Amino acid sequence: MVYIEEVSEDPAPSGPPPNPQALARATAGNLEDQLAFSLVLAKRPGMSLGVDATYSSAASWSRNGVLVARVLEEGLVSEWNVASEEPRRVRAGDFIFQINDVHGDTVSMIQEMKTRSTVTLHVLRRPSAIPSLAAVPAAVPAAAAAKPG
């Protein structure tokens, strides 16, 4: 199951929801709870996004986006984090699976992040990074629940 929350830097709408195909690719093969959320950042002169990102082809789900390696102390994402509450703070280990309308091509996604004045980052957090969700017991299948004790 994927929990999707859309949030924005301003009270205005956070932009379009993630592309369903991009979200499906990012969550493929994982049956555990995951958190997906979006944030809209307006770039300012002299201010970077403040994220070190990396690409990994180790798992099929990570081939179509970038992993957040580190959130720097200064930058738009750090400002976002200060103004946001958990679990919607970007952190190391989060996976950016879509930037604006671009998904599925890591090089194009990075280019989009670098060149656009406003970026909508669609972020996915895996279960191991979601303590509150990872602690929730998995649902018991109906057949197992119906067995006499």
Side-chain angles (χ1 to χ4, degrees):
M1 176 180 284
V2 178
Y3 294 96
I4 300 178
E5 296 185 23
E6 292 188 30
V7 291
S8 174
E9 183 177 24
D10 299 316
S14 63
N19 179 289
Q21 290 177 335
L23 184 59
R25 271 197 302 267
T27 59
N30 195 329
L31 301 176
E32 298 177 292
D33 291 334
Q34 301 172 72
L35 173 71
F37 63 99
S38 303
L39 54 141
V40 178
L41 302 171
K43 292 184 180 177
R44 299 188 308 264
M47 181 69 80
S48 73
L49 290 179
V51 174
D52 283 341
T54 185
Y55 166 80
S56 172
S57 62
S60 61
W61 65 269
S62 67
R63 293 185 186 130
N64 296 306
V66 293
L67 290 167
V68 175
R70 181 172 64 135
V71 177
L72 305 176
E73 289 183 22
E74 293 185 20
L76 295 173
V77 173
S78 180
E79 288 179 2
W80 166 269
N81 283 348
V82 168
S84 299
E85 295 182 14
E86 287 294 347
R88 295 175 299 208
R89 289 182 176 149
V90 180
R91 56 176 117 148
D94 284 351
F95 181 67
I96 301 171
F97 65 93
Q98 182 177 335
I99 299 168
N100 295 337
D101 292 328
V102 180
H103 59 89
D105 179 350
T106 305
V107 173
S108 295
M109 289 174 62
I110 292 170
Q111 193 63 24
E112 184 80 2
M113 199 171 2
K114 289 180 176 180
T115 60
R116 298 294 179 173
S117 59
T118 300
V119 293
T120 301
L121 304 179
H122 298 282
V123 178
L124 179 72
R125 184 166 302 143
R126 290 290 183 159
S128 60
I130 311 173
S132 61
L133 295 179
V136 175
V140 177
K147 288 182 183 177

